[in-house]
């Protein structure tokens, strides 16, 4: 089916699709199956429960849990009554949790007490010890004054916490008329989801995404990929990322198809799931596809069902892309978008070659104009010329929550959202993304791009990973500094790295090399390059120049 999204909200569309699809499977999870009809019943129960807990239109509800059908049910329940879903990373520690809940002014936290081996409830109590002393609905947290209580997936005996089942029981007091009125009060232009940027460049920002933007993005992307109601989508990455909550869940919803969800990616179990559920749409990152292909028993599984999917997270090497096309999904798509664009802006067409899949992020999907601007003049450049990529579209973010100045800086009045990504268009119409503008540095007046240098250093034997940043230099202004993680047992020296780079133009050659055991990372698993710059500055006593805020990575 092709859902009619005109004038719809996410909750309203789900209700229509669920009623139309009825007994068709909506979610498969760890061997269990949930029909559209049964899932709508679960969403209705949870939505009434949220209303009974005081959630009303515009209230932020923070969802802090791992992959589970109830994660999706709580998501749909929240947006159905006009609440704003705030996704929370399960890797967050107490301070990170406190920042996000305070900045978004969440009134309620819905969470899993324990995810895998992580004690999420212990972290919540570190931030809100009042949960152990004050009753639900009347919690007065010193650090998080907006939060009035916590709802957990499982039962707990602390006074400030109730379980999902208890919340549902409270919701029985909400009559159908009041519930219908709450749903009808939600409009397409209302904010549905708030996802925080990764904080690779400093303070995370809450991106406000509206119902109309999310649904339009995903309907166009689903059509671009030829998705339909007969598809089964495989997904094992975290739901709290845009790839999960937007691309995957809404991609399934707008087509009325099936989602095959895993709690956590494991190669063998992923192969079993794809084979058993006959998954046709297979989402993943290059490393997850690589692990499946390298499984010793790969040939035992029948993956002939695979057709398409999104290859996200990082550019894929051409040889791996060819293996994916040959063995898993012949029409896989390397797609590009950001949290701020509310979904995918470009993607490979079904007719694209493995080379185009491996080296580009595809072509512009209808609904956007994409420009490449000169980083100095701000004017459009020609085909093959590199610059900052901008996206002009009615489906970009509403803005950064409670950050008016940062929102203003993120948009160019003529060319749209300033993504902060560096790239260029090829003659074949495909877009190449090859770095971040704030990572670019200027050596003696010439622009240098870290990703190009990093890719070259990774070819050196003994290098496990590398990050390149620009650091101050008295003569040239800035030069490259390479932070290198060695492979176990490698005996690389700084000079080895420098000599290897002499195949590059001289301004790209690192003047400094530092060996480290690990890189400073955000909770989303992205490298904090600004911390590497500060590490160098602290070492040599230099000053690091301030940077201008841009939109974050997807």
């Amino acid at each position: 089916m092709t859902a009619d999204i005109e004038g719809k909200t996410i909750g309203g569309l789900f209700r229509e699709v669920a009623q139309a699809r009825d007994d068709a499977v909506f979610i498969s999870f760890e061997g269990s199956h949930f029909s559209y009809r049964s899932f709508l019943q679960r969403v209705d129960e949870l939505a009434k429960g949220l209303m009974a807990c005081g959630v009303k239109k515009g209230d932020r509800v923070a969802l802090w849990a791992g992959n589970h059908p109830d994660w999706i049910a709580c998501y749909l329940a929240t947006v159905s009554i006009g609440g704003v879903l705030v996704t929370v990373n399960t890797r967050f520690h107490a301070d990170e949790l406190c920042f996000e809940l305070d900045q978004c002014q969440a009134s309620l936290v819905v969470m899993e007490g324990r995810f895998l081996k992580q004690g999420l409830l212990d972290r919540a109590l570190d931030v809100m010890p009042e949960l152990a002393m004050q009753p639900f609905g009347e919690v007065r947290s010193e650090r998080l004054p907006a939060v009035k209580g916590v709802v957990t997936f499982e039962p707990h005996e602390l006074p400030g916490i109730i379980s999902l089942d208890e919340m549902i029981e409270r919701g029985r007091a909400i009559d159908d008329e009041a519930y219908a009125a709450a749903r009808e009060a939600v409009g397409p232009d209302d904010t549905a989801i708030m996802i925080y940027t990764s904080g690779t460049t400093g303070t995370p920002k809450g991106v406000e995404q509206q119902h109309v933007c999310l649904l339009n993005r995903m309907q166009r992307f689903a059509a671009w990929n030829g998705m339909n109601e007969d598809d089964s989508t495989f997904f094992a990455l975290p739901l709290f990322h845009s790839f999960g909550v937007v691309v995957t869940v809404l991609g399934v919803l707008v087509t009325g198809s099936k989602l095959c969800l895993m709690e956590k990616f494991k190669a063998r179990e992923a192969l079993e799931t794809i084979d058993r559920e006959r998954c046709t749409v297979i989402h993943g990152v290059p490393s997850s596809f690589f692990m499946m292909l390298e499984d010793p028993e790969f040939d035992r599984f029948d993956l002939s069902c695979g057709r398409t999917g999104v290859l996200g997270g990082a550019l894929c090497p051409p040889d791996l892309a060819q293996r994916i096309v040959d063995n898993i999904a012949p029409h896989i798509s390397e797609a590009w978008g950001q949290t701020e664009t509310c979904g995918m802006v470009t993607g490979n067409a079904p007719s694209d070659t493995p080379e185009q899949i491996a080296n580009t992020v595809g072509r512009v999907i209808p609904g956007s104009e994409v420009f490449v601007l000169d980083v100095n003049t701000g004017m459009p450049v020609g085909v093959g010329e590199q610059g900052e990529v901008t996206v002009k579209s009615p489906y970009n973010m509403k803005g950064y929550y409670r950050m008016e100045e940062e929102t203003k800086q993120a948009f160019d009045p003529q060319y749209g959202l300033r993504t902060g990504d560096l790239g260029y268009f090829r003659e074949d119409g495909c877009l190449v993304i090859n770095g971040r503008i704030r990572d670019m540095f200027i050596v003696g007046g010439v622009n240098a791009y870290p990703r190009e240098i990093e890719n070259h250093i990774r070819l050196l034997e003994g290098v496990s990973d590398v990050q390149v940043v620009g650091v101050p230099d008295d003569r040239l202004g800035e030069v490259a500094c390479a932070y290198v993680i060695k492979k176990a047992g490698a005996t690389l020296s700084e000079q080895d790295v420098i000599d290897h780079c002499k195949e590059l133009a001289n301004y790209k050659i690192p003047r400094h090399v530092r060996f480290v055991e690990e890189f400073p990372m955000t909770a989303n698993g992205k490298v904090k390059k600004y911390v590497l710059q500060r590490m160098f500055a602290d070492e040599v006593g230099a000053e690091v120049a301030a940077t201008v805020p841009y939109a974050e990575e997807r």
Side-chain angles (χ1 to χ4, degrees):
M1 66 181 293
T2 300
D4 177 14
I5 63 171
E6 185 66 31
K8 303 288 173 55
T9 63
I10 293 171
L13 182 65
F14 172 67
R15 180 169 298 276
E16 287 187 11
V17 172
Q19 290 170 343
R21 296 291 283 152
D22 198 28
D23 286 334
V25 175
F26 177 40
I27 294 176
S28 168
F29 178 74
E30 310 288 334
S32 298
H33 294 82
F34 304 86
S35 70
Y36 270 93
R37 180 173 58 185
S38 66
F39 212 81
L40 177 58
Q41 292 171 349
R42 181 67 169 173
V43 169
D44 285 343
E45 289 178 336
L46 290 168
K48 287 184 175 182
L50 290 169
M51 290 177 65
C53 291
V55 175
K56 57 188 183 300
K57 182 177 178 179
D59 285 351
R60 270 73 59 195
V61 176
L63 182 53
W64 194 28
N67 289 4
H68 190 279
D70 271 338
W71 195 104
I72 298 172
C74 289
Y75 159 27
L76 294 173
T78 299
V79 300
S80 290
I81 60 172
V84 177
L85 179 83
V86 182
T87 65
V88 184
N89 192 317
T90 53
R91 296 173 63 182
F92 273 0
H93 292 285
D95 287 345
E96 295 163 310
L97 174 67
C98 186
F99 171 84
E100 184 166 319
L101 296 183
D102 181 52
Q103 207 281 332
C104 78
Q105 299 176 310
S107 62
L108 187 70
V109 180
V110 180
M111 63 177 291
E112 196 171 4
R114 178 168 291 275
F115 170 61
L116 300 178
K117 296 182 179 180
Q118 304 178 54
L120 302 188
L121 184 57
D122 291 338
R123 299 179 203 172
L125 287 169
D126 285 344
V127 175
M128 296 177 285
E130 297 88 353
L131 293 171
M133 300 170 282
Q134 299 171 358
F136 180 88
E138 300 177 20
V139 174
R140 298 293 181 266
S141 171
E142 181 179 347
R143 298 180 69 182
L144 298 170
V147 177
K148 303 307 178 188
V150 169
V151 178
T152 53
F153 282 17
E154 55 283 289
H156 284 284
E157 296 182 357
L158 298 177
I161 299 173
I162 64 172
S163 68
L164 280 183
D165 288 343
E166 290 176 274
M167 186 178 80
I168 288 172
E169 190 59 37
R170 292 185 179 208
R172 302 195 193 285
I174 304 295
D175 60 43
D176 290 343
E177 185 177 344
Y179 179 38
R183 298 197 312 268
E184 290 167 7
V186 188
D189 293 327
D190 292 332
T191 299
I193 303 173
M194 192 184 303
I195 304 175
Y196 275 77
T197 59
S198 58
T200 54
T201 54
T203 302
K205 299 182 281 292
V207 177
E208 292 190 88
Q209 302 177 325
Q210 297 158 291
H211 291 262
V212 62
C213 300
L214 293 163
L215 292 178
N216 272 278
R217 279 278 187 231
M218 289 321 302
Q219 187 178 67
R220 284 164 169 74
F221 184 71
W224 184 260
N225 267 1
M227 295 170 61
N228 59 66
E229 66 182 21
D230 296 324
D231 278 318
S232 295
T233 297
F234 171 81
F235 190 73
L237 302 173
L239 283 168
F240 57 74
H241 286 310
S242 291
F243 201 172
V245 67
V246 177
V247 176
T248 300
V249 176
L250 294 185
V252 168
L253 178 55
V254 298
T255 54
S257 54
K258 180 174 76 172
L259 171 61
C260 300
L261 182 68
M262 288 181 62
E263 183 180 34
K264 182 181 180 181
F265 178 81
K266 295 179 181 178
R268 180 68 56 81
E269 292 178 16
L271 291 167
E272 292 171 348
T273 299
I274 294 168
D275 186 353
R276 182 182 66 249
E277 301 291 339
R278 310 311 295 154
C279 295
T280 54
V281 180
I282 303 168
H283 292 332
V285 294
S287 60
S288 62
F289 283 105
F290 178 79
M291 284 187 279
M292 286 191 287
L293 287 163
E294 290 295 305
D295 188 283
E297 296 190 30
F298 179 82
D299 291 336
R300 177 167 66 85
F301 299 96
D302 177 10
L303 305 186
S304 60
C305 51
R307 186 185 79 253
T308 186
V310 173
L311 182 57
L315 287 179
C316 183
D319 59 337
L320 178 56
Q322 185 67 62
R323 293 177 68 192
I324 296 169
V325 167
D326 290 343
N327 297 283
I328 298 179
H331 301 300
I332 197 80
S333 176
E334 178 88 28
W336 172 80
Q338 297 183 329
T339 306
E340 288 85 348
T341 62
C342 299
M344 297 307 188
V345 175
T346 70
N348 291 109
S351 59
D352 280 353
T353 65
E355 184 278 329
Q356 289 169 318
I357 294 170
N359 295 312
T360 80
V361 293
R363 309 163 196 277
V364 180
I365 298 169
S368 296
E369 292 181 86
V370 175
F371 302 91
V372 178
L373 307 182
D374 184 284
V375 296
N376 296 312
T377 67
M379 297 302 294
V381 299
V383 172
E385 295 183 67
Q386 182 160 266
E388 182 184 6
V389 181
T390 68
V391 178
K392 188 175 184 179
S393 172
Y395 309 128
N396 287 331
M397 68 170 179
K398 180 179 179 181
Y400 296 120
Y401 184 62
R402 297 173 62 198
M403 291 185 171
E404 186 176 342
E405 187 58 35
E406 287 84 350
T407 299
K408 189 182 303 182
Q409 291 177 358
F411 287 93
D412 180 283
Q414 186 172 359
Y415 299 109
L417 179 74
R418 301 175 63 194
T419 69
D421 277 346
L422 290 165
Y424 63 90
F425 277 106
R426 306 197 320 183
E427 292 285 352
D428 59 8
C430 290
L431 178 66
V432 175
I433 299 293
N434 56 6
R436 295 284 293 164
I437 193 169
R438 63 165 63 250
D439 294 341
M440 182 192 80
F441 53 96
I442 301 174
V443 183
V446 182
N447 294 344
Y449 304 99
R451 183 172 292 183
E452 179 185 5
I453 305 169
E454 291 164 356
N455 287 343
H456 186 75
I457 294 175
R458 287 191 183 100
L459 299 175
L460 178 61
E461 187 175 352
V463 172
S464 174
D465 202 0
V466 60
Q467 295 292 323
V468 171
V469 296
V471 297
D473 182 82
D474 290 340
R475 185 172 67 88
L476 296 172
E478 290 180 293
V479 294
C481 177
Y483 282 86
V484 178
I485 297 176
K486 298 180 187 179
K487 290 181 178 177
T491 57
L492 286 175
S493 68
E494 295 181 15
Q495 194 60 46
D496 290 334
V497 176
I498 293 170
D499 289 344
H500 174 72
C501 290
K502 288 180 179 177
E503 300 171 17
L504 301 173
N506 62 355
Y507 69 90
K508 301 175 185 177
I509 300 171
R511 268 48 172 190
H512 309 278
V513 177
R514 301 290 185 269
F515 293 106
V516 294
E517 296 296 320
E518 60 183 8
F519 301 130
M521 309 291 284
T522 71
N524 285 348
K526 296 178 181 178
V527 178
K528 296 181 179 179
K529 287 203 169 189
Y530 70 96
V531 174
L532 295 177
Q533 290 176 311
R534 289 176 183 171
M535 286 166 54
F536 182 88
D538 290 343
E539 176 188 337
V540 302
E543 291 185 3
V544 178
T547 52
V548 179
Y550 288 92
E552 297 289 343
E553 290 96 330
R554 64 175 180 257

